[in-house]
Amino acid sequence: MRVFIFSYNRGAYLRNAVESVRRHMPFAQVTVMDDRSDDPDTRAVLAALPVEVLTAPAPGAEHAVTGGLHGGMNRALDLAEAEGQTVVLMLQDDMMLVRDVAQAELDAAMAQFDRADASFVLGVTFAKTRRGARDIGLVLDGGVYRRPEAAAVSGAHCAYGDTGLFHIPRLRATLGRLEQGEKENEARARALGLRMGSLVFPFAHWLPFPVSWRGRQRVWRLRLLDLVCGAGVHVIAPLQGERLRRFLDRDPGDLPFAEDWLTAPTAPQALYWSLRGGAQNGLARGGWRSTLARRLR
């Protein structure tokens, strides 16, 4: 399995992401796609990583706006395709694998790409709580969770996501290449009638209460919110032992919400897990932090 991790100026997050893949998927070949990080700490992490690191080309005007994520994803897909890879795993630096994953499990997941309406990406993360409301729009369909197209009006994706297992031939046959923007790729995939599936037994997730960025800047409002809301690198404990057994034995009709199955020991007490940073961290904490977040966002 080829795994690509996309990163910019978040060295501590990146180190954890790489370590989690090497721990839980030791057979994988890991490549970090760095978006020209200039933070000294991140540069030191990049230099010390025991995996391949590729740096993005010099930025153009479009790169400066988007952060270059989708350009990096296209480059990763081109590299994997040239190597003869069919499926790759795409992660971002604020994510991690949370349990052991066997090659046989990945092979079984590949059957989902055989559906006529299947998207070229299969989600591998736990269900989210969005602004205090559990995302119950997913339905069990053919061995994976899928979202009815009507749910897209709420902002939740039903055809595309920037992370997960990507089937390269199916991508080439549908979109060809990715555009700059998750919403743009979602709209294109939905227009083709594609529906994205998500694993019933996910193995990755985003770290909760992340440090915030606006574009490529750490503006003072975000710094203040991070300070009072407990933002940081809150590593998720491995899902293992009896807890893992219960997770794998559960009724697939029970959606796998991160808060129900995962723990991040250093994360602050909150009403639910915030995954976006900034004001969302404050809203998830509740109380006066929520009031402050509404005023500063």
Side-chain angles (χ1 to χ4, degrees):
M1 172 59 67
R2 198 78 150 83
V3 179
F4 292 96
I5 303 176
F6 300 87
S7 182
Y8 174 75
N9 273 0
R10 295 200 288 192
Y13 286 94
L14 176 60
R15 183 192 298 111
N16 176 68
V18 170
E19 289 176 350
S20 76
V21 176
R22 286 168 57 83
R23 179 188 314 118
H24 294 298
M25 198 183 287
F27 54 86
Q29 179 183 353
V30 182
T31 298
V32 171
M33 306 294 288
D34 180 60
D35 202 11
R36 302 181 68 83
S37 294
D38 53 14
D39 167 64
D41 291 339
T42 300
R43 297 300 306 168
V45 169
L46 288 165
L49 287 176
V51 299
E52 179 182 39
V53 176
L54 299 179
T55 303
E62 195 173 66
H63 179 287
V65 174
T66 65
L69 171 61
H70 297 90
M73 293 176 71
N74 278 325
R75 186 183 180 202
L77 291 164
D78 290 344
L79 290 171
E81 187 175 34
E83 297 169 353
Q85 301 282 344
T86 299
V87 175
V88 297
L89 176 61
M90 303 281 209
L91 302 172
Q92 294 177 8
D93 55 7
D94 60 344
M95 301 176 69
M96 65 177 291
L97 300 195
V98 299
R99 65 175 180 86
D100 292 345
V101 184
Q103 182 64 56
E105 185 176 356
L106 296 173
D107 292 341
M110 296 307 100
Q112 294 301 323
F113 292 112
D114 294 336
R115 290 178 52 131
D117 65 344
S119 182
F120 49 83
V121 57
L122 183 63
V124 299
T125 55
F126 286 68
K128 302 176 182 178
T129 300
R130 301 175 185 273
R131 298 185 179 182
R134 290 207 156 186
D135 182 5
I136 58 175
L138 296 169
V139 296
L140 190 62
D141 179 11
V144 296
Y145 299 119
R146 298 182 191 275
R147 190 184 309 283
E149 185 175 355
V153 299
S154 68
H157 293 183
C158 66
Y160 173 82
D162 282 337
T163 64
L165 293 166
F166 278 66
H167 193 282
I168 301 174
R170 190 157 185 80
L171 169 61
R172 299 304 190 210
T174 52
L175 298 196
R177 298 182 68 79
L178 300 176
E179 291 189 2
Q180 291 286 354
E182 191 172 33
K183 290 182 179 179
E184 288 76 9
N185 291 309
E186 160 75 8
R188 293 174 66 204
R190 188 151 32 98
L192 294 173
L194 303 182
R195 296 180 63 202
M196 176 181 169
S198 294
L199 295 178
V200 170
F201 302 106
F203 55 77
H205 206 59
W206 293 269
L207 272 60
F209 299 94
V211 173
S212 313
W213 291 79
R214 178 165 296 169
R216 287 176 170 250
Q217 303 298 318
R218 291 268 293 136
V219 298
W220 71 267
R221 291 183 181 182
L222 294 182
R223 291 178 183 272
L224 175 60
L225 285 170
D226 285 349
L227 178 64
V228 301
C229 296
V233 184
H234 300 298
V235 175
I236 299 170
L239 184 58
Q240 56 190 358
E242 176 62 18
R243 193 176 186 87
L244 175 59
R245 187 195 65 77
R246 289 191 291 106
F247 172 70
L248 297 176
D249 288 346
R250 80 184 201 284
D251 183 342
D254 295 333
L255 293 176
F257 286 96
E259 294 90 340
D260 293 342
W261 294 103
L262 304 178
T263 59
T266 65
Q269 290 188 340
L271 304 174
Y272 57 92
W273 276 15
S274 166
L275 305 176
R276 296 181 58 188
Q280 296 304 317
N281 286 348
L283 296 176
R285 294 293 306 274
W288 64 267
R289 294 180 180 85
S290 178
T291 301
L292 177 65
R294 288 189 173 90
R295 291 179 177 177
L296 293 181
R297 65 179 176 179

